[in-house]
Amino acid sequence: MHEHPTGGTSVNSSVAHPARVYNAWLGGRDNYPADQEAAELAAAANPRIVPAVRANRAFLGRAVRELSGTAGIRQFLDIGTGIPTADNTHEVAQRVDPGARVVYVDNDPIVLAHARALLVSTPQGATDYVEADVRDVDRILAVARQTLDLSRPVGLMLVAILQYVPDTDDPHAIARELLDALAPGSHLVLSHPAADIGAEEVVASMRVYNERAAERAGATPRTHAEVTRFFDGTDLLDPGVVELPRWRPGPDDDSAPGRLPMWCGVGRRP
Protein backbone atom coordinates (compact mmCIF):
# COMPACT_ATOMS: atom_id res chain seq x y z
CA MET A 1 0.00 0.00 0.00
CA HIS A 2 1.32 3.43 -0.87
CA GLU A 3 1.75 6.16 1.69
CA HIS A 4 0.09 9.44 0.78
CA PRO A 5 0.30 12.91 2.34
CA THR A 6 -3.26 13.90 3.10
CA GLY A 7 -2.88 17.10 5.03
CA GLY A 8 -4.45 15.48 8.08
CA THR A 9 -7.63 14.42 6.27
CA SER A 10 -8.52 10.76 6.71
CA VAL A 11 -8.51 8.55 3.64
CA ASN A 12 -10.60 5.40 3.38
CA SER A 13 -8.32 3.06 1.45
CA SER A 14 -10.59 0.03 1.83
CA VAL A 15 -13.05 1.05 -0.88
CA ALA A 16 -12.45 2.24 -4.43
CA HIS A 17 -12.54 5.96 -5.19
CA PRO A 18 -13.04 7.42 -8.70
CA ALA A 19 -9.87 9.53 -8.82
CA ARG A 20 -7.70 6.64 -7.67
CA VAL A 21 -9.35 4.09 -9.99
CA TYR A 22 -8.83 6.51 -12.88
CA ASN A 23 -5.18 6.84 -11.83
CA ALA A 24 -4.85 3.06 -11.88
CA TRP A 25 -6.31 2.88 -15.40
CA LEU A 26 -3.72 5.45 -16.50
CA GLY A 27 -0.96 3.28 -15.05
CA GLY A 28 -0.25 5.58 -12.10
CA ARG A 29 0.91 4.58 -8.63
CA ASP A 30 -1.31 6.83 -6.54
CA ASN A 31 -3.90 4.23 -5.65
CA TYR A 32 -4.63 1.45 -3.19
CA PRO A 33 -5.31 -2.29 -3.63
CA ALA A 34 -9.08 -1.67 -3.50
CA ASP A 35 -8.74 0.80 -6.37
CA GLN A 36 -6.52 -1.56 -8.34
CA GLU A 37 -9.03 -4.40 -7.89
CA ALA A 38 -11.93 -2.25 -9.06
CA ALA A 39 -9.91 -0.99 -12.03
CA GLU A 40 -8.85 -4.49 -13.08
CA LEU A 41 -12.31 -6.03 -12.71
CA ALA A 42 -14.04 -3.20 -14.58
CA ALA A 43 -11.45 -3.35 -17.37
CA ALA A 44 -11.86 -7.11 -17.60
CA ALA A 45 -15.61 -6.65 -18.03
CA ASN A 46 -15.07 -3.94 -20.64
CA PRO A 47 -11.60 -3.93 -22.28
CA ARG A 48 -12.37 -0.59 -23.93
CA ILE A 49 -12.22 1.27 -20.62
CA VAL A 50 -8.46 1.83 -20.59
CA PRO A 51 -8.29 3.12 -24.20
CA ALA A 52 -11.29 5.34 -23.39
CA VAL A 53 -9.62 6.78 -20.29
CA ARG A 54 -6.50 7.62 -22.29
CA ALA A 55 -8.59 9.09 -25.11
CA ASN A 56 -10.49 11.13 -22.52
CA ARG A 57 -7.24 12.64 -21.29
CA ALA A 58 -6.27 13.50 -24.88
CA PHE A 59 -9.71 15.10 -25.44
CA LEU A 60 -9.20 17.33 -22.39
CA GLY A 61 -5.91 18.56 -23.83
CA ARG A 62 -7.39 19.25 -27.27
CA ALA A 63 -10.37 21.08 -25.78
CA VAL A 64 -8.23 23.29 -23.55
CA ARG A 65 -5.93 24.11 -26.46
CA GLU A 66 -8.98 24.99 -28.58
CA LEU A 67 -10.47 27.24 -25.90
CA SER A 68 -7.12 28.87 -25.14
CA GLY A 69 -5.90 29.26 -28.69
CA THR A 70 -9.09 29.94 -30.66
CA ALA A 71 -11.76 31.11 -28.22
CA GLY A 72 -9.39 33.26 -26.18
CA ILE A 73 -10.39 31.71 -22.84
CA ARG A 74 -7.86 32.62 -20.16
CA GLN A 75 -9.48 31.09 -17.07
CA PHE A 76 -10.77 27.61 -16.31
CA LEU A 77 -12.86 25.92 -13.64
CA ASP A 78 -11.92 22.22 -13.70
CA ILE A 79 -14.29 20.09 -11.60
CA GLY A 80 -13.36 16.48 -10.94
CA THR A 81 -9.67 17.17 -11.41
CA GLY A 82 -8.38 13.74 -10.50
CA ILE A 83 -4.84 12.97 -9.42
CA PRO A 84 -2.44 15.15 -11.42
CA THR A 85 -0.73 13.50 -14.37
CA ALA A 86 0.82 15.00 -17.50
CA ASP A 87 -0.80 17.90 -19.35
CA ASN A 88 -3.12 19.10 -16.63
CA THR A 89 -5.51 21.90 -17.57
CA HIS A 90 -3.33 24.76 -16.32
CA GLU A 91 -0.23 23.38 -18.04
CA VAL A 92 -1.99 23.22 -21.41
CA ALA A 93 -3.60 26.66 -20.96
CA GLN A 94 -0.44 28.34 -19.71
CA ARG A 95 1.53 27.14 -22.72
CA VAL A 96 -0.80 29.34 -24.76
CA ASP A 97 -0.90 32.18 -22.23
CA PRO A 98 1.35 32.04 -19.14
CA GLY A 99 -1.14 34.34 -17.42
CA ALA A 100 -4.01 31.80 -17.55
CA ARG A 101 -5.78 31.13 -14.25
CA VAL A 102 -7.23 27.76 -13.22
CA VAL A 103 -9.27 26.58 -10.24
CA TYR A 104 -9.35 22.82 -9.66
CA VAL A 105 -12.12 21.06 -7.73
CA ASP A 106 -12.15 17.50 -6.38
CA ASN A 107 -13.50 15.74 -3.31
CA ASP A 108 -10.63 13.31 -2.64
CA PRO A 109 -8.06 14.36 0.00
CA ILE A 110 -5.37 12.43 -1.87
CA VAL A 111 -6.05 14.58 -4.92
CA LEU A 112 -5.87 17.65 -2.66
CA ALA A 113 -2.43 16.65 -1.37
CA HIS A 114 -1.06 16.03 -4.86
CA ALA A 115 -2.66 19.18 -6.25
CA ARG A 116 -1.00 21.35 -3.63
CA ALA A 117 2.37 19.78 -4.40
CA LEU A 118 2.21 19.48 -8.17
CA LEU A 119 -0.26 21.92 -9.68
CA VAL A 120 2.20 24.80 -9.67
CA SER A 121 1.31 27.81 -11.78
CA THR A 122 3.55 30.01 -13.84
CA PRO A 123 4.53 33.23 -11.99
CA GLN A 124 2.23 35.20 -14.31
CA GLY A 125 -0.82 32.97 -13.86
CA ALA A 126 -2.56 31.34 -10.91
CA THR A 127 -3.93 28.00 -9.77
CA ASP A 128 -6.09 27.21 -6.78
CA TYR A 129 -7.74 24.08 -5.42
CA VAL A 130 -11.18 23.59 -3.89
CA GLU A 131 -11.98 20.45 -1.93
CA ALA A 132 -15.66 20.06 -2.74
CA ASP A 133 -18.20 17.76 -4.33
CA VAL A 134 -19.58 18.77 -7.73
CA ARG A 135 -22.98 19.09 -6.02
CA ASP A 136 -21.61 21.88 -3.79
CA VAL A 137 -22.21 24.52 -6.45
CA ASP A 138 -22.39 27.50 -4.08
CA ARG A 139 -19.12 26.58 -2.37
CA ILE A 140 -17.36 25.93 -5.68
CA LEU A 141 -18.41 29.29 -7.10
CA ALA A 142 -17.60 31.20 -3.91
CA VAL A 143 -14.04 29.89 -3.79
CA ALA A 144 -13.58 30.13 -7.57
CA ARG A 145 -14.37 33.86 -7.39
CA GLN A 146 -11.26 34.35 -5.26
CA THR A 147 -9.08 33.39 -8.26
CA LEU A 148 -11.29 33.80 -11.34
CA ASP A 149 -13.21 36.81 -12.66
CA LEU A 150 -16.62 35.27 -13.30
CA SER A 151 -17.71 38.39 -15.19
CA ARG A 152 -15.37 37.24 -17.98
CA PRO A 153 -15.60 33.97 -19.97
CA VAL A 154 -14.54 30.77 -18.23
CA GLY A 155 -13.85 27.28 -19.52
CA LEU A 156 -16.00 24.98 -17.36
CA MET A 157 -14.45 21.50 -17.40
CA LEU A 158 -16.81 18.65 -16.48
CA VAL A 159 -14.66 15.87 -17.89
CA ALA A 160 -15.67 12.35 -16.80
CA ILE A 161 -17.31 13.57 -13.60
CA LEU A 162 -21.10 13.74 -13.97
CA GLN A 163 -21.47 9.95 -14.18
CA TYR A 164 -20.89 10.05 -10.42
CA VAL A 165 -24.02 12.15 -9.94
CA PRO A 166 -27.12 9.92 -9.94
CA ASP A 167 -30.29 10.95 -11.72
CA THR A 168 -31.92 11.57 -8.32
CA ASP A 169 -29.48 14.46 -7.79
CA ASP A 170 -30.26 15.90 -11.27
CA PRO A 171 -26.83 16.24 -12.87
CA HIS A 172 -28.31 18.29 -15.73
CA ALA A 173 -29.50 20.92 -13.25
CA ILE A 174 -26.05 21.02 -11.63
CA ALA A 175 -24.36 21.61 -14.99
CA ARG A 176 -26.88 24.34 -15.85
CA GLU A 177 -26.44 26.08 -12.48
CA LEU A 178 -22.67 26.12 -12.89
CA LEU A 179 -22.78 27.41 -16.46
CA ASP A 180 -25.46 29.99 -15.67
CA ALA A 181 -23.15 31.52 -13.06
CA LEU A 182 -20.50 32.17 -15.72
CA ALA A 183 -20.28 35.01 -18.21
CA PRO A 184 -21.54 34.82 -21.82
CA GLY A 185 -18.79 33.42 -23.98
CA SER A 186 -17.96 30.78 -21.39
CA HIS A 187 -17.56 27.25 -22.71
CA LEU A 188 -18.65 23.88 -21.28
CA VAL A 189 -16.22 21.00 -21.91
CA LEU A 190 -17.82 17.69 -21.01
CA SER A 191 -17.25 13.98 -21.42
CA HIS A 192 -19.34 11.13 -20.05
CA PRO A 193 -19.45 7.31 -20.21
CA ALA A 194 -21.92 6.09 -22.83
CA ALA A 195 -24.85 3.81 -22.12
CA ASP A 196 -25.41 3.15 -25.82
CA ILE A 197 -21.96 2.11 -27.07
CA GLY A 198 -21.12 -1.49 -26.16
CA ALA A 199 -24.03 -1.33 -23.74
CA GLU A 200 -23.68 -4.82 -22.23
CA GLU A 201 -19.97 -4.35 -21.55
CA VAL A 202 -20.53 -0.88 -20.08
CA VAL A 203 -23.27 -2.13 -17.76
CA ALA A 204 -21.10 -5.05 -16.64
CA SER A 205 -18.06 -2.88 -15.96
CA MET A 206 -20.12 -0.27 -14.10
CA ARG A 207 -21.70 -3.00 -11.98
CA VAL A 208 -18.38 -4.44 -10.79
CA TYR A 209 -17.04 -0.92 -10.18
CA ASN A 210 -20.12 0.16 -8.24
CA GLU A 211 -19.93 -2.94 -6.04
CA ARG A 212 -16.50 -1.77 -4.87
CA ALA A 213 -16.92 2.00 -4.93
CA ALA A 214 -17.08 4.36 -2.01
CA GLU A 215 -20.50 5.46 -0.85
CA ARG A 216 -22.09 7.91 -3.33
CA ALA A 217 -19.31 7.22 -5.83
CA GLY A 218 -21.27 4.81 -8.00
CA ALA A 219 -21.24 5.52 -11.71
CA THR A 220 -24.17 5.94 -14.14
CA PRO A 221 -23.52 5.76 -17.91
CA ARG A 222 -25.86 7.84 -20.10
CA THR A 223 -27.06 7.83 -23.69
CA HIS A 224 -26.07 10.22 -26.47
CA ALA A 225 -29.38 12.07 -26.01
CA GLU A 226 -28.87 12.36 -22.25
CA VAL A 227 -25.31 13.64 -22.67
CA THR A 228 -26.43 16.11 -25.36
CA ARG A 229 -28.95 17.55 -22.87
CA PHE A 230 -26.03 18.84 -20.78
CA PHE A 231 -25.40 21.32 -23.60
CA ASP A 232 -28.95 22.73 -23.63
CA GLY A 233 -28.72 26.52 -23.92
CA THR A 234 -25.26 26.46 -25.50
CA ASP A 235 -24.06 26.63 -29.07
CA LEU A 236 -22.39 23.26 -29.68
CA LEU A 237 -19.04 23.49 -31.39
CA ASP A 238 -18.51 21.22 -34.37
CA PRO A 239 -18.57 18.24 -34.59
CA GLY A 240 -21.17 18.16 -31.76
CA VAL A 241 -21.44 15.33 -29.23
CA VAL A 242 -19.25 12.53 -30.55
CA GLU A 243 -17.04 9.69 -29.43
CA LEU A 244 -13.80 10.84 -27.82
CA PRO A 245 -11.31 10.37 -30.67
CA ARG A 246 -13.64 12.12 -33.13
CA TRP A 247 -13.63 15.51 -31.40
CA ARG A 248 -11.23 17.60 -33.52
CA PRO A 249 -8.35 15.09 -33.61
CA GLY A 250 -4.92 16.43 -34.50
CA PRO A 251 -2.37 14.77 -36.76
CA ASP A 252 -0.51 13.37 -33.74
CA ASP A 253 -3.56 12.00 -31.95
CA ASP A 254 -3.78 8.24 -31.74
CA SER A 255 -6.87 6.76 -33.34
CA ALA A 256 -8.03 4.22 -30.79
CA PRO A 257 -9.24 0.95 -32.32
CA GLY A 258 -12.95 0.24 -32.31
CA ARG A 259 -15.65 2.30 -30.65
CA LEU A 260 -14.97 3.83 -27.25
CA PRO A 261 -17.81 4.00 -24.70
CA MET A 262 -17.69 7.73 -23.96
CA TRP A 263 -19.39 10.79 -25.43
CA CYS A 264 -17.82 14.25 -25.42
CA GLY A 265 -18.47 17.75 -26.64
CA VAL A 266 -17.87 21.47 -26.16
CA GLY A 267 -20.59 24.13 -26.06
CA ARG A 268 -20.41 27.92 -25.90
CA ARG A 269 -22.75 29.92 -23.71
CA PRO A 270 -24.17 32.71 -25.95
Side-chain angles (χ1 to χ4, degrees), residues 32-267:
Y32 293 105
D35 307 305
Q36 296 159 19
E37 180 191 34
E40 290 166 3
L41 289 171
N46 185 358
R48 289 181 284 191
I49 281 183
V50 173
V53 164
R54 292 173 180 165
N56 187 62
R57 192 72 187 176
F59 161 69
L60 180 147
R62 294 198 304 277
V64 173
R65 284 193 296 272
E66 178 70 23
L67 267 58
S68 300
T70 303
I73 301 293
R74 294 294 179 262
Q75 45 184 8
F76 294 83
L77 178 57
D78 186 340
I79 303 177
T81 306
I83 294 168
T85 57
D87 286 339
N88 301 289
T89 296
H90 78 284
E91 293 167 330
V92 178
Q94 289 178 350
R95 285 189 202 120
V96 177
D97 181 355
R101 306 173 76 84
V102 179
V103 172
Y104 290 103
V105 182
D106 206 288
N107 65 352
D108 186 344
I110 285 179
V111 174
L112 171 61
H114 283 275
R116 285 174 172 160
L118 299 176
L119 299 181
V120 180
S121 173
T122 60
Q124 304 96 315
T127 62
D128 195 10
Y129 183 92
V130 184
E131 186 173 5
D133 189 279
V134 66
R135 301 168 186 83
D136 298 335
V137 173
D138 290 342
R139 169 172 166 73
I140 290 170
L141 293 172
V143 179
R145 286 188 179 95
Q146 299 173 17
T147 301
L148 308 180
D149 178 358
L150 300 191
S151 70
R152 299 177 62 83
V154 173
L156 173 61
M157 314 295 293
L158 294 175
V159 175
I161 179 64
L162 290 177
Q163 68 267 27
Y164 300 116
V165 180
D167 292 337
T168 51
D169 286 345
D170 199 347
H172 293 92
I174 291 170
R176 280 195 302 272
E177 187 176 358
L178 285 163
L179 193 59
D180 285 349
L182 306 179
S186 294
H187 286 63
L188 170 62
V189 176
L190 183 143
S191 64
H192 197 294
D196 44 1
I197 302 174
E200 292 183 6
E201 291 177 337
V202 171
V203 168
S205 64
M206 291 290 183
R207 183 174 62 249
V208 298
Y209 169 80
N210 289 341
E211 287 171 353
R212 289 157 178 79
E215 183 181 0
R216 291 175 64 83
T220 303
R222 294 186 170 96
T223 65
H224 184 271
E226 290 171 323
V227 174
T228 301
R229 273 186 58 210
F230 286 115
F231 295 98
D232 284 356
T234 73
D235 297 326
L236 264 173
L237 274 60
D238 290 335
V241 176
V242 295
E243 294 172 46
L244 287 167
R246 299 183 181 179
W247 197 89
R248 302 194 179 187
D252 298 327
D253 288 309
D254 293 333
S255 56
R259 302 193 68 192
L260 296 182
M262 288 191 75
W263 299 115
C264 69
V266 179

